[in-house]
Amino acid sequence: GQDKVCASLKDVLDKGTCRAFIFTGLSGGGKTTLGRLIASYKKCSPHNLHEVDGATHTGVESMREIIESLQMNPMGPNKVRVTIIDEAHQLSKAAWNSLLKSVEEPPPDYYWVFCTTESAKIPDTIRTRCTSYEVKPVSSDLLFEYLQIIKEDEKFKTSDDVLHLIARSSEGSTRRALTFLSQCSDITNVREAVDIIKSIDENEEGAVGDLLKALVSGITWERAVDILKELGTTD
C-alpha cells in the first residue's frame, strides 16, 4: 500500500542523493518494514543491520555507542550498514545533537532510518538532513487482498466475511490486521470474530503496558513523565 513511497525511495537509493531517512505515520503502517527494505535493496548483511528501540535507548550514551561503532570496519564482503531507530521521537535533545554530524555526513555505505508516529518531535536540524516520507493508512480493500494471500499460504480456515471485517477494523494498520488474523485463523462466523477483535482492542497494553516494559528495561525520568502524561496522572 506504499507504492509511491517505494518508487521514490528506490529512485533516491539508485541516485545516491541521500542516506538518511525519516518515515512517519500510524503505528503498524510499515515504517520499520521500509527501513528493512532499504537494507535488503542495498544488500546489507543481517549482521550489519541494527534496529534500536528509541523508547528505551533515549539517551546520548546509547547514540554515542552507535556512532563509535561506525569507526569499526563492517563485517563481511558487503560494506553496507543500516541503523533503524524505532520510536525516534523519544530520543532526548542531547541524543539528537550527538547524531547531527553523522546524519549529515554518514560514513561510506552507511544509512540512517528514523521511524516515528510523532514527526513534530523530530528536531528541524535532523529533519533538514533527511529525506522524509509519510506512510499512509492502507486501504481496507488492499488489506483484504493481503489477508487472503496469507490465509492461503498458511491454510487458515478464516472466511472471507471475517477477512473483510478484519480489514475494516484494522484502521489502515497492517500490524493490527495481522494480529486480528492470527487470533481468527480458524474463525468463519463474523459474530464470533467481532467478539475476538473487541477483546483484543480492550486488552491492548496502551500506556500502562509501556510503563511496565520501561520499568523492566530501564527508564529515564523524561520517558516516565511522558508515559504518566498519557495516563493522565500528571501535568
Side-chain angles (χ1 to χ4, degrees), residues 40-55:
S40 177
Y41 189 70
K42 300 304 294 186
K43 297 180 172 55
C44 173
S45 301
H47 44 258
N48 289 329
L49 170 61
H50 303 285
E51 296 188 26
V52 179
D53 178 12

Side-chain angles (χ1 to χ4, degrees), residues 4-5 74 81 118 120 183 198 205:
K4 292 182 179 179
V5 171
R81 288 178 288 183
E118 301 183 43
Q183 298 300 311
K198 182 179 179 181
E205 293 176 320

Side-chain angles (χ1 to χ4, degrees), residues 65-106:
E65 289 179 9
I66 296 174
I67 294 171
E68 288 173 2
S69 72
L70 301 184
Q71 308 304 316
M72 295 180 277
N73 291 325
M75 299 174 62
N78 189 318
K79 303 304 181 184
V80 172
R81 288 178 288 183
V82 177
T83 294
I84 301 172
I85 300 183
D86 283 315
E87 303 295 330
H89 56 274
Q90 302 283 6
L91 297 183
S92 68
K93 182 178 179 180
W96 281 121
N97 287 339
S98 70
L99 294 176
L100 285 177
K101 183 171 178 59
S102 182
V103 171
E104 183 171 17
E105 299 177 2

Side-chain angles (χ1 to χ4, degrees), residues 28-41:
K31 299 182 296 296
T32 304
T33 298
L34 286 167
R36 293 170 183 161
L37 285 173
I38 289 175
S40 177
Y41 189 70

Side-chain angles (χ1 to χ4, degrees), residues 50-228:
H50 303 285
E51 296 188 26
V52 179
D53 178 12
T56 54
H57 297 82
T58 62
V60 64
E61 290 303 323
S62 296
M63 296 304 108
R64 282 177 179 164
E65 289 179 9
I66 296 174
I67 294 171
E68 288 173 2
S69 72
L70 301 184
Q71 308 304 316
M72 295 180 277
N73 291 325
M75 299 174 62
N78 189 318
K79 303 304 181 184
V80 172
R81 288 178 288 183
V82 177
T83 294
I84 301 172
I85 300 183
D86 283 315
E87 303 295 330
H89 56 274
Q90 302 283 6
L91 297 183
S92 68
K93 182 178 179 180
W96 281 121
N97 287 339
S98 70
L99 294 176
L100 285 177
K101 183 171 178 59
S102 182
V103 171
E104 183 171 17
E105 299 177 2
D109 298 319
Y110 189 85
Y111 295 82
W112 286 103
V113 178
F114 303 103
C115 302
T116 178
T117 55
E118 301 183 43
S119 59
K121 292 186 178 181
I122 305 294
D124 288 340
T125 49
I126 292 291
R127 197 193 315 275
T128 55
R129 289 166 166 81
C130 300
T131 297
S132 298
Y133 294 99
E134 182 179 0
V135 175
K136 303 288 187 180
V138 183
S139 72
S140 59
D141 288 343
L142 192 55
L143 278 176
F144 173 74
E145 293 177 12
Y146 180 51
L147 294 172
Q148 276 190 314
I149 293 171
I150 296 173
K151 168 191 170 180
E152 293 173 5
D153 287 347
E154 300 295 334
K155 296 179 172 56
F156 289 161
K157 298 177 182 178
T158 320
S159 69
D160 281 356
D161 286 341
V162 171
L163 292 184
H164 276 297
L165 171 68
I166 292 172
R168 292 193 304 270
S169 302
S170 299
E171 300 176 345
S173 170
T174 307
R175 182 190 299 145
R176 281 174 63 84
L178 293 174
T179 298
F180 293 155
L181 179 61
S182 69
Q183 298 300 311
C184 298
S185 59
D186 294 320
I187 305 300
T188 58
N189 183 278
V190 172
R191 186 181 297 272
E192 186 177 353
V194 167
D195 291 339
I196 291 173
I197 291 173
K198 182 179 179 181
S199 174
I200 294 171
D201 279 338
E202 289 176 348
N203 288 285
E204 283 184 338
E205 293 176 320
V208 174
D210 288 344
L211 182 58
L212 293 173
K213 288 189 292 185
L215 288 170
V216 171
S217 60
I219 184 173
T220 64
W221 174 245
E222 291 80 6
R223 176 58 179 149
V225 169
D226 286 341
I227 295 173
L228 289 171

